Amino acid sequence: MPAHRNDTTTPARPLGSDQLRAGAERAHGLDGALAAALERVARIAATSLRVPSAAVVLLGQDRRCFSGGGDAHLWLSRDPGALFRLGLAGRVLDSAEPLALEDARTLGQETPDSPQSLGIAGFLGTRVSGSSGEPLALVVAIDTEPRRWKADEIEHFVEIAASAVTEIELQRRTVEAERIERQLRHDALHDGLTGLPNRACFVEQLRHAGERARRDVANSFAVLFVDLDHFKMVNDSFGHLAGDELLVEVARRLAGCLRSVDTLARLGGDEFALLLEEVCEPSDAARVAERLQVALSNPMTIRESEVFTSASIGIALSTKLEDAPQHLLRSADLAMYRAKEHGRARFELFDPAMHTAAMERLRIEMDLRRAVERDQLVLHYQPVVSLTTGGVVAVEALIRWKHPERGLIPPLDFIPIAERTGLIGEIGRWVLARACEQLKAWEREFGYDAPQSVWINVSPKQFAQQDLAEQVGRLFESLSFEPRRIKFEITESIMLENIDVAMRTLGELRRLGVQVFMDDFGTGYSSLTYLGRLPLDGIKVDRSFVSQMGTDVRQAQLVSTIISLIRNLGLEPIAEGVETDQQARLLREMGCAFAQGFVFCRPVPAKEIDVLLRRAAQH
Ligand code: C2E
Ligand code: MG
Ligand code: MG
């Protein structure tokens, strides 16, 4: 059905022209039935009143006239408008009662459009209305001779006229029902915002394309999965309406890059898919992907602002496919995902290794969902020591996942997955509660010798939650926990999430009495401007700086500069990743009071911290 296929490429044209045609034919049949019925009404009126002609004139958009009678006035069916020009129709419409004129010729002068020239003398007219009161039609009876209408004749005429209503209403309702049905059918397969085919429609097209390709390799095709980069940022900064406008413009530009045989669909959100017909070579698909990217690269004006957008594109070819064509969309999706990983604004071609990697990711994702409830997460703690006294002042909680088959999984291998899947919220709450409980336990056992605080890592996604401070406040209340004993560590990448929410949360946490440190300083997007503006309490100097201090004088100089910078901002510097005594000594000399690192202690289970604390208490 090639015609069917082409129909879906233009947003404005609804799909399923076959169905449309069927609808139109049915409407035509209906029209025929209506015409026959109304002509019959006119004929009955003419016969029973013994006039040469009678007619039913539809009102509204459909101004057709159906006349009947042995000697029908021809002009009536050709030009029912004459009745309106004569003023006769208007008078009928205006009057509550039927209009009965003995001789219409007495109404005015003879003109080309007067009763005289049209052969109207006796005239009887009434209007008929629908069930909701709206006028549907005029019914008129016309005599060539003057006629004195009798009351029973008028009454009979009104009854005959009324029988037209049922016919007209029935037809109108059926036409309306057909229209709604067509609309629903269209809506089910199209995206409301852009008018493009939707996912269901696209998958159907894909199935057809798969069948054609199976019959003949010349029908090979490609699927492109297009996902906008940083679309969320547009939505967040300009609002959803602006986001919608952007999507419509993107749809328009993408559509502009296609041939008429290709199909563009919106899968949802900022995801689009393309089906390119008769594509056998990866390079052909790649050229289209490039064209799409060029088309998107010009700035768009949205709400009077210039917005730049780009897309990550994944390509899958039907020729490279062993399994069902429907899976092509998934393969293109995986390739798109790879394009995102490799830095966005680019395209990638699907290869089966992506499949294996994705399966692996999926398995970990599924396992992680259950990890919290199955109690597989544990916290290890790494002491923060005072460089002057050597004592443990605090501990940093570092999460690990005790996987039943894979062993102890480090946080960097699963925290990003938790972030992507939204599991981070639940995990974060667990970390916080668990760390608070642990600190209380140490307090019970070691009193003043217990660590003063526990430091908790909060990922950017977690920090962007609107209600983080509220959650924390509630937890502290339920545990009657002192807020100053928790310190949060955030990273510079929170600037990439919603900066306004982050700033607000920081302020709220501060008011609660929770201190916040910047972690891994120097590895991210640190802008000194922001650093001064963020309400922070301390900054952890990343271990990449600390680790090179002993070997390189310039590095030591750099660390020294960073430490004084932090102090000048009125913040506390903390050194991370101290591995040698020499580094510890240098840092102390530079004025850094606190540090963490393997030279003091690795991250260990709570029980091992117990041992440390017990030993310290004995001294
Ligand atoms: P981080 O917060 O910067 O934690 C310090 C990392 O450096 C830890 O790795 C720690 O084991 C390691 N480390 C500490 N001292 C030394 C040293 O002297 N030498 C070397 N080479 N490494 C040292 P870990 O435990 O694998 O954690 C990695 C990252 O995972 C953390 O970096 C933190 O960003 C994140 N993370 C850990 N726990 C959580 C958590 O509960 N929630 C969130 N959102 N992120 C967490
Ligand atoms: Mg940390
Ligand atoms: Mg760190």
Side-chain angles (χ1 to χ4, degrees):
M1 270 194 314
H4 179 90
R5 175 156 50 102
N6 297 357
D7 278 345
T8 58
T9 51
T10 26
R13 217 159 70 208
L15 171 93
S17 60
D18 308 355
Q19 292 152 346
L20 272 183
R21 220 171 299 125
E25 271 156 26
R26 226 172 309 153
H28 216 76
L30 262 166
D31 254 12
L34 179 72
L38 296 184
E39 271 160 19
R40 195 159 49 84
V41 172
R43 218 167 37 243
I44 294 171
T47 325
S48 56
L49 291 174
R50 292 183 310 283
V51 289
S53 57
V56 181
V57 182
L58 293 180
L59 298 170
Q61 283 173 334
D62 185 2
R63 280 279 178 94
R64 276 174 304 162
C65 173
F66 303 95
S67 52
D71 196 8
H73 285 85
L74 273 179
W75 63 264
L76 199 52
S77 44
R78 273 200 225 109
D79 177 23
L83 277 180
F84 290 84
R85 292 194 297 278
L86 279 167
L88 284 171
R91 288 178 63 173
V92 175
L93 277 175
D94 287 344
S95 108
E97 299 296 314
L99 178 70
L101 301 175
E102 184 178 336
D103 191 350
R105 292 175 300 195
T106 57
L107 288 178
Q109 301 278 313
E110 180 168 352
T111 63
D113 245 357
S114 64
Q116 288 92 317
S117 43
L118 293 173
I120 306 178
F123 179 86
L124 183 58
T126 186
R127 62 158 201 246
V128 293
S129 304
S131 45
S132 47
E134 81 287 1
L136 289 179
L138 297 177
V139 184
V140 297
I142 293 169
D143 205 337
T144 40
E145 301 300 325
R147 171 91 172 248
R148 192 167 294 179
W149 305 96
K150 294 201 211 76
D152 64 331
E153 278 176 339
I154 297 176
E155 201 179 317
H156 190 47
F157 172 67
V158 169
E159 273 166 20
I160 295 168
S163 67
V165 175
T166 332
E167 300 294 341
I168 299 168
E169 283 215 309
L170 181 67
Q171 195 248 11
R172 294 217 167 151
R173 274 204 215 113
T174 318
V175 167
E176 180 62 8
E178 292 257 347
R179 195 188 59 74
I180 292 174
E181 197 187 319
R182 254 191 333 267
Q183 183 75 44
L184 288 177
R185 215 175 306 136
H186 176 265
D187 289 353
L189 293 172
H190 289 77
D191 162 47
L193 179 65
T194 58
L196 292 174
N198 62 13
R199 181 186 289 269
C201 185
F202 190 78
V203 169
E204 189 57 22
Q205 302 276 314
L206 212 52
R207 214 172 47 76
H208 288 310
E211 279 162 16
R212 285 194 301 274
R214 203 166 313 133
R215 283 196 297 270
D216 184 353
V217 279
N219 290 332
S220 295
F221 60 100
V223 173
L224 269 59
F225 197 109
V226 180
D227 187 292
L228 297 185
D229 299 327
H230 300 302
F231 176 66
K232 191 177 161 297
M233 249 153 49
V234 176
N235 257 344
D236 286 347
S237 19
F238 297 96
H240 285 276
L241 282 178
D244 285 356
E245 276 178 33
L246 180 85
L247 290 173
V248 171
E249 176 60 15
V250 166
R252 204 184 58 76
R253 292 193 185 183
L254 295 180
C257 298
L258 303 183
R259 300 163 301 169
S260 64
V261 288
D262 300 331
T263 300
L264 169 65
R266 177 168 174 232
L267 301 179
D270 59 345
E271 293 173 352
F272 295 86
L274 281 87
L275 196 159
L276 306 179
E277 301 281 353
E278 287 152 32
V279 168
C280 299
E281 289 305 314
S283 56
D284 294 337
R287 258 197 306 280
V288 177
E290 262 166 12
R291 217 160 55 220
L292 298 175
Q293 272 160 341
V294 169
L296 293 182
S297 65
N298 290 323
M300 311 188 178
T301 310
I302 304 288
R303 315 242 134 181
E304 288 160 14
S305 299
E306 274 207 335
V307 177
F308 288 85
T309 190
S310 62
S312 300
I313 301 176
I315 303 172
L317 293 173
S318 68
T319 44
K320 293 273 180 292
L321 189 78
E322 285 89 43
D323 57 353
Q326 292 91 304
H327 295 168
L328 267 184
L329 189 58
R330 197 186 54 198
S331 303
D333 186 8
L334 286 175
M336 184 283 292
Y337 188 85
R338 179 62 58 91
K340 289 254 185 223
E341 279 182 338
H342 286 179
R344 300 186 162 88
R346 52 183 289 142
F347 62 83
E348 290 285 339
L349 199 65
F350 173 77
D351 90 64
M354 290 179 186
H355 204 87
T356 322
M359 289 306 286
E360 179 73 6
R361 229 172 14 232
L362 193 68
R363 207 163 296 133
I364 293 197
E365 224 174 273
M366 275 162 33
D367 287 354
L368 187 58
R369 274 178 207 288
R370 294 191 214 105
V372 181
E373 52 193 71
R374 295 192 180 168
D375 222 16
Q376 292 172 353
L377 298 180
V378 286
L379 286 184
H380 282 188
Y381 298 89
Q382 185 178 35
V384 180
V385 301
S386 157
L387 284 174
T388 41
T389 68
V392 174
V393 292
V395 289
E396 176 177 3
L398 292 160
I399 196 169
R400 274 101 184 85
W401 176 10
K402 265 192 184 151
H403 193 285
E405 290 135 35
R406 295 163 202 251
L408 208 60
I409 304 183
L412 293 179
D413 288 359
F414 68 90
I415 291 290
I417 300 175
E419 287 228 301
R420 210 182 51 241
T421 53
L423 282 169
I424 193 68
E426 194 181 343
I427 292 179
R429 281 191 292 278
W430 178 86
V431 170
L432 184 63
R434 184 73 208 91
C436 289
E437 279 163 17
Q438 183 58 57
L439 190 54
K440 286 208 123 187
W442 279 324
E443 202 179 20
R444 273 197 302 276
E445 193 172 347
F446 300 103
Y448 288 117
D449 293 321
Q452 289 157 28
S453 58
V454 47
W455 298 4
I456 291 172
N457 294 285
V458 181
S459 71
K461 279 266 159 31
Q462 229 178 321
F463 211 77
Q465 290 169 11
Q466 303 274 355
D467 62 343
L468 181 67
E470 206 185 303
Q471 274 178 38
V472 173
R474 267 203 308 270
L475 180 78
F476 287 173
E477 228 173 74
S478 69
L479 294 175
S480 20
F481 195 86
E482 278 178 81
R484 64 175 181 83
R485 308 200 62 177
I486 287 291
K487 300 191 199 311
F488 281 155
E489 298 185 8
I490 58 176
T491 54
E492 292 157 298
S493 42
I494 62 154
M495 318 280 185
L496 285 184
E497 294 290 325
N498 194 327
I499 182 80
D500 296 331
V501 176
M503 289 290 251
R504 210 188 52 225
T505 308
L506 270 175
E508 288 170 354
L509 285 172
R510 261 261 171 121
R511 277 196 293 284
L512 268 180
V514 178
Q515 292 197 339
V516 182
F517 291 170
M518 175 68 77
D519 202 356
D520 305 339
F521 177 70
T523 56
Y525 307 76
S526 36
S527 133
L528 292 175
T529 344
Y530 268 126
L531 218 48
R533 277 176 46 200
L534 290 174
L536 294 170
D537 297 280
I539 292 183
K540 297 180 80 172
V541 181
D542 191 68
R543 78 159 178 269
S544 53
F545 295 99
V546 175
S547 64
Q548 290 170 40
M549 271 171 57
T551 48
D552 186 339
V553 188
R554 280 219 316 274
Q555 274 292 326
Q557 195 61 53
L558 178 62
V559 175
S560 172
T561 311
I562 294 175
I563 286 172
S564 18
L565 173 91
I566 296 173
R567 290 169 67 99
N568 287 340
L569 285 168
L571 307 177
E572 186 69 55
I574 300 115
E576 288 188 283
V578 183
E579 293 185 350
T580 67
D581 289 327
Q582 186 205 18
Q583 289 166 354
R585 187 175 45 77
L586 280 171
L587 286 161
R588 190 173 52 236
E589 286 165 10
M590 290 171 184
C592 183
F594 304 104
Q596 281 176 287
F598 291 174
V599 70
F600 311 113
C601 185
R602 286 179 178 260
V604 290
K607 270 207 228 63
E608 292 184 37
I609 299 284
D610 289 358
V611 177
L612 274 183
L613 294 175
R614 217 165 282 138
R615 211 180 298 147
Q618 280 161 6
H619 284 155

